[in-house]
């Protein structure tokens, strides 16, 4: 049913319907936002990219095949725009500052308890240490909960490559958590 | 009993899921998107109108280049040029 509704909205979008654009936004904004957030680590940038992805969906609606699922197109567009943003940022800013901006300046962060904020900062710093290719796989697998096959289709790479990227990313994250002596704290936080 | 890897895997999934779920898009993103799309739609429609208006221009500069290109201009201003001495005398 959902696929049929999405198809219907895409067809209306191809006729230039702004209501259909709103409908697709309501349906898929979390998917795009979470993916952009995971790759960029910045909720403000993720909001900008969210708007840009849907604007491009509107602009290029005629190129979309309504008979196929929309999600892979949205993931690809989000990742492409996020990559562009991360690369520009890296080019413009010294590497040592990256973990700082990924941790954010607090202006747009939700009001959470200090302990939780510390945990989120830790997650953001851990993600920022991963190479972009590995970070993408981690985001799609753990945040978007895509399967290995789905990730392979989205990224247009063999499933074996997805597996190996996931393996190395997990290893890096684990080592980082150990080095920061946060593993036990993180587990307590999760399982209590 | 969970192995360390399984515990880590589960912890990672929950932590990342909670972290991403903790944030929301900036308020007003949807409204800004619709406004931007409406502007684009209007702009594309006005482009069509401008093209249509250009089609009724008396002189097509691309089609009439060189000396012959001046002919329509000459025709247009012929009476103005040759009637000028008469008008000055009056």
């Amino acid at each position: 049913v959902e696929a049929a509704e999405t198809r219907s909205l895409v067809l209306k979008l191809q006729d230039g319907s702004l209501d259909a654009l709103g409908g697709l936004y309501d349906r898929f904004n979390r998917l795009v936002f979470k993916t952009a957030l995971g790759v960029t680590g910045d909720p403000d940038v993720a909001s900008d990219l969210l708007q840009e992805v849907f604007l491009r969906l509107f602009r290029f609606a005629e190129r979309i095949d309504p008979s196929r699922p929309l999600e892979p197109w949205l993931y690809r567009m989000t990742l492409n725009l996020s990559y562009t943003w991360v690369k520009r940022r890296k080019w413009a800013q010294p590497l040592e500052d990256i973990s700082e901006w990924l941790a954010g300046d607090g202006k747009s962060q939700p009001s959470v308890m200090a302990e939780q904020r510390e945990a989120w900062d830790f997650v953001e710093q851990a993600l920022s240490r991963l190479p972009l290719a590995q970070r993408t796989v981690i985001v799609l697998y753990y945040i978007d909960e895509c399967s290995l096959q789905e990730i392979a289709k989205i990224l247009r790479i063999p499933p074996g490559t997805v597996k190996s990227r996931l393996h190395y990313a997990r290893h890096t994250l684990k080592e980082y958590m150990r080095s920061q002596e946060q593993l036990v704290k993180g587990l307590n936080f999760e399982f209590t | 009993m969970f192995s360390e890897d399984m515990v880590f895997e589960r912890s990672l999934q929950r932590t990342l899921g909670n972290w991403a779920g903790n944030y929301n898009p900036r308020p007003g993103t949807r409204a800004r998107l619709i406004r931007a799309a409406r502007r684009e739609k209007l702009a594309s429609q006005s482009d069509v109108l401008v093209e249509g208006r250009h089609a009724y221009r008396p002189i097509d500069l691309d089609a009439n280049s060189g000396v012959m290109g001046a002919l329509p201009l000459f025709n247009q201003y012929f009476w103005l040029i040759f009637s000028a001495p008469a008008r000055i005398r009056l």
Side-chain angles (χ1 to χ4, degrees):
Chain A
V1 177
E2 281 189 11
E5 283 175 5
T6 302
R7 185 173 179 271
S8 159
L9 286 172
V10 170
L11 287 170
K12 284 178 187 166
L13 188 71
Q14 289 177 336
D15 288 336
S17 165
L18 293 173
D19 287 340
L21 180 65
L24 288 166
Y25 176 91
D26 293 339
R27 185 162 292 208
F28 294 112
N29 74 82
R30 287 301 305 173
L31 175 155
V32 172
F33 179 75
K34 280 198 296 181
T35 308
L37 176 68
V39 177
T40 64
D42 186 325
D44 280 340
V45 173
S47 290
D48 290 343
L49 293 179
L50 170 65
Q51 184 180 330
E52 186 58 29
V53 167
F54 279 93
L55 203 53
R56 289 186 184 214
L57 178 67
F58 180 71
R59 204 177 290 157
F60 303 123
E62 285 177 10
R63 297 184 196 173
I64 292 167
D65 181 357
S67 65
R68 300 175 72 177
L70 186 60
E71 289 91 330
W73 188 94
L74 289 171
Y75 278 126
R76 267 196 292 276
M77 183 56 78
T78 308
L79 290 171
N80 284 341
L81 291 174
S82 302
Y83 287 166
T84 306
W85 185 86
V86 169
K87 282 174 184 168
R88 273 188 197 155
R89 184 83 191 202
K90 264 188 184 172
W91 183 80
Q93 200 164 355
L95 280 172
E96 57 267 25
D97 292 344
I98 287 177
S99 59
E100 284 177 24
W101 63 254
L102 273 172
D105 55 7
K107 67 180 178 187
S108 60
Q109 290 159 358
S111 55
V112 290
M113 290 187 303
E115 190 185 347
Q116 203 172 26
R117 181 66 255 160
E118 197 181 324
W120 292 162
D121 284 349
F122 180 71
V123 171
E124 288 158 14
Q125 282 171 23
L127 278 176
S128 74
R129 283 168 195 273
L130 293 174
L132 202 49
Q134 291 179 16
R135 198 189 313 168
T136 303
V137 173
I138 285 282
V139 168
L140 291 174
Y141 190 76
Y142 289 109
I143 295 178
D144 292 315
E145 296 179 5
C146 294
S147 68
L148 295 177
Q149 295 294 332
E150 285 169 336
I151 297 172
K153 273 187 188 171
I154 292 164
L155 299 178
R156 290 172 176 156
I157 54 175
T161 309
V162 177
K163 261 187 186 172
S164 77
R165 284 184 190 175
L166 203 53
H167 170 77
Y168 286 114
R170 272 194 205 114
H171 181 73
T172 309
L173 287 174
K174 208 170 183 177
E175 289 299 311
Y176 177 70
M177 287 177 177
R178 276 196 179 134
S179 72
Q180 300 290 312
E181 296 179 351
Q182 290 271 353
L183 181 61
V184 176
K185 188 180 173 185
L187 293 180
N188 286 340
F189 174 73
E190 287 307 322
F191 287 106
T192 49
Chain B
M1 285 293 289
F2 292 112
S3 70
E4 191 192 335
D5 281 347
M6 283 170 71
V7 171
F8 175 76
E9 181 79 4
R10 196 164 170 190
S11 170
L12 196 58
Q13 189 146 27
R14 286 194 178 185
T15 306
L16 289 174
N18 287 344
W19 170 73
N22 189 49
Y23 290 101
N24 288 308
R26 210 170 28 230
T29 303
R30 189 187 193 278
R32 271 194 302 279
L33 166 71
I34 300 295
R35 276 201 300 273
R38 184 174 288 125
R39 272 198 303 274
E40 285 206 2
K41 194 175 174 180
L42 288 173
S44 66
Q45 284 170 349
S46 66
D47 282 349
V48 173
L49 288 177
V50 168
E51 279 172 19
R53 198 172 63 222
H54 287 178
Y56 291 100
R57 271 186 168 180
I59 302 164
D60 186 355
L61 293 175
D62 291 333
N64 299 290
S65 56
V67 178
M68 295 302 282
L71 273 175
L73 274 176
F74 181 76
N75 283 339
Q76 197 166 338
Y77 296 109
F78 178 83
W79 290 110
L80 189 68
I81 294 165
F82 287 94
S83 65
R87 279 190 280 118
I88 289 166
R89 273 201 302 275
L90 286 172

